[in-house]
Amino acid sequence: MILSRCLRMTHSKSAGCGLSRTYLTLGHDFDRSFQSYISNSHDPYLNLSIEHHLLQKSKQSSKILFLYINRPCVVIGRNQNPWTEVNLSLLGDSSILGKGLKSIDLVRRRSGGGTVFHDGGNVNWTVISPSESFTRDKHAEMVTRALRRCGVHRSRVNERHDIVLDQGGSSTTKSWGPGDDTHHTPWQVDAERTVKVSGSAYKLTRGRALHHGTALLDSPNLKFIHDILTAPGRKYIDSKGVASVSSPVANIGLDNDEFVERVQQEFWSMYQQEPSPIEVVGESWLEDGELRKGYEELMSLEWTYLQTPRFSIDYKTERLEARLEAKNGRIEEVQINADCNELYKSVMSQSSIQGLKVHEMHDWSEIIRRSAAAPSQREELERLAVWLRKMLPSHQQ
């Protein structure tokens, strides 16, 4: 379905930069060869839905740039386990990000890759292009050139296709800019001293390639990111999902508008096109029924938690061993070996509990109340229940 032509368009320039923006009250057809968009919404579910809609509806040969800024949220990859990636108990902690914030959104995107934290100091960039000409470095190199035009000369693309800033001393007095090798810098002499400022994820479908990434420009929440992205159960969970690779991160120290302007310029330059205004999109796009359906799916707890790949978690003390297995975010079986000589299968593996959603387990003492274990083992099982509540916290408990 192609959205109807926009009903009203106005032009303006962003304060402090030369960006010309076209404001759209409704979307339009996606047959143009080159398109550039920016969202005026900070809703991560909406922005990811717009991004997916552009991927699905645009002409196969078109090239699209989409830029957006989300409110504070954690975004996990399509094939990730939230209980190994995020300290879920902190997402409902209104004190962690200061006044005025009740909670942090948890979002499962439709692309692969690792977990990232977004807020107002992070600009997200997306390029959608034909898959036949796509490489994992192509658009990260584009963003690196944009950063260097902003004076961030230490930026480069590393072997993981992330953008990093080298922190070592310079091996040369040569000037370094956007026209130089985007995979090296003169400050790379100490390879261990780098900080990550942009990570990437990808989605390939029907001859189309989507490459989106972050740009950590000036986040006020940098000191909280490590705690939020450190899951208490990570070392106890064996998951079939994709694990994130932890890296030191830092702010680039740029204004959002300056970065947006430079990325737009590099996009047009890379494809040798005359620049045109950025088209501003937002909540009006929810008038499209198909986009709204995808938006509502992303917001659902079923999408967030029940897409979790199969995993198991193990608990062991001198008196008790336990193993919980889950599939698609639902409990499949719990085995308890008490005193290491008698095996109990709690009724969590029976019809009354099998299939319960892990993210709805506010009270793991169900294991105790419905267990076949002897009274002498109750105290140890209570400890297990407390431990499970900590390792597998319920949704914003």
Side-chain angles (χ1 to χ4, degrees), residues 159-372:
E159 63 281 355
R160 294 186 54 81
H161 320 292
D162 297 326
I163 299 175
V164 299
L165 300 184
D166 289 323
Q167 303 297 298
S170 177
S171 60
T172 178
T173 58
K174 177 182 179 297
S175 61
W176 202 254
D180 292 303
D181 186 352
T182 53
H183 289 262
H184 296 89
T185 78
W187 299 274
Q188 202 175 343
V189 290
D190 186 354
E192 297 299 318
R193 296 183 61 193
T194 63
V195 290
K196 181 177 174 179
V197 295
S198 177
S200 293
Y202 317 90
K203 185 175 179 64
L204 304 177
T205 178
R206 294 183 290 104
R208 301 291 275 156
L210 180 148
H211 180 185
H212 53 184
T214 58
L216 195 54
L217 301 181
D218 192 20
S219 169
N221 302 303
L222 205 61
K223 62 182 179 180
F224 300 122
I225 293 177
H226 179 266
D227 291 339
I228 293 171
L229 302 187
T230 302
R234 179 178 297 175
K235 64 181 180 179
Y236 303 103
I237 294 174
D238 180 18
S239 177
K240 301 299 182 184
V242 176
S244 296
V245 177
S246 299
S247 303
V249 298
N251 280 322
I252 296 171
L254 278 181
D255 175 76
N256 287 355
D257 277 347
E258 181 181 7
F259 175 79
V260 166
E261 180 180 13
R262 291 299 186 185
V263 170
Q264 188 201 26
Q265 290 172 352
E266 285 301 320
F267 172 74
W268 294 116
S269 177
M270 184 172 69
Y271 290 110
Q272 299 180 340
Q273 295 294 309
E274 285 296 317
S276 67
I278 294 182
E279 298 177 80
V280 181
V281 299
E283 290 186 4
S284 65
W285 279 41
L286 286 172
E287 295 177 23
D288 179 81
E290 193 172 348
L291 189 148
R292 176 173 282 279
K293 182 179 179 181
Y295 171 75
E296 291 173 350
E297 180 181 50
L298 282 191
M299 290 188 67
S300 70
L301 296 183
E302 286 73 18
W303 172 263
T304 303
Y305 292 102
L306 302 190
Q307 297 293 319
T308 301
R310 180 187 288 274
F311 72 93
S312 61
I313 182 168
D314 292 289
Y315 173 86
K316 184 176 182 179
T317 67
E318 291 183 359
R319 295 192 59 199
L320 185 143
E321 294 180 5
R323 181 179 181 85
L324 180 147
E325 296 184 1
K327 181 180 180 182
N328 300 130
R330 296 177 184 270
I331 296 170
E332 195 170 49
E333 184 175 76
V334 174
Q335 295 183 353
I336 300 174
N337 188 349
D339 295 325
C340 299
N341 57 25
E342 187 173 0
L343 180 67
Y344 293 98
K345 286 191 176 180
S346 117
V347 290
M348 299 201 72
S349 65
Q350 298 178 15
S351 59
S352 63
I353 294 202
Q354 188 177 37
L356 286 181
K357 301 170 185 177
V358 176
H359 72 274
E360 292 182 350
M361 289 298 297
H362 300 284
D363 184 9
W364 285 98
S365 294
E366 287 288 329
I367 297 176
I368 311 306
R369 288 195 294 269
R370 305 187 189 185
S371 174

Side-chain angles (χ1 to χ4, degrees), residues 13 21 42 49 86 90 111 179 182 200 240 251 346 359:
K13 286 191 176 182
R21 298 182 178 182
H42 300 312
S49 297
V86 188
L90 295 182
S111 63
T182 53
S200 293
K240 301 299 182 184
N251 280 322
S346 117
H359 72 274

Side-chain angles (χ1 to χ4, degrees), residues 67-118:
L67 299 151
Y68 57 94
I69 299 168
N70 287 330
R71 63 179 177 248
C73 61
V74 174
V75 184
I76 63 175
R78 173 67 179 83
N79 302 307
Q80 289 199 295
N81 184 327
W83 290 284
T84 62
E85 297 295 326
V86 188
N87 190 334
L88 297 174
S89 62
L90 295 182
L91 299 188
D93 185 348
S94 59
S95 66
I96 193 166
L97 295 180
K99 297 180 180 179
L101 186 68
K102 294 181 179 179
S103 63
I104 304 168
D105 295 308
L106 176 65
V107 188
R108 184 187 294 275
R109 61 178 180 266
R110 300 183 187 277
S111 63
T115 299
V116 288
F117 179 85
H118 294 173

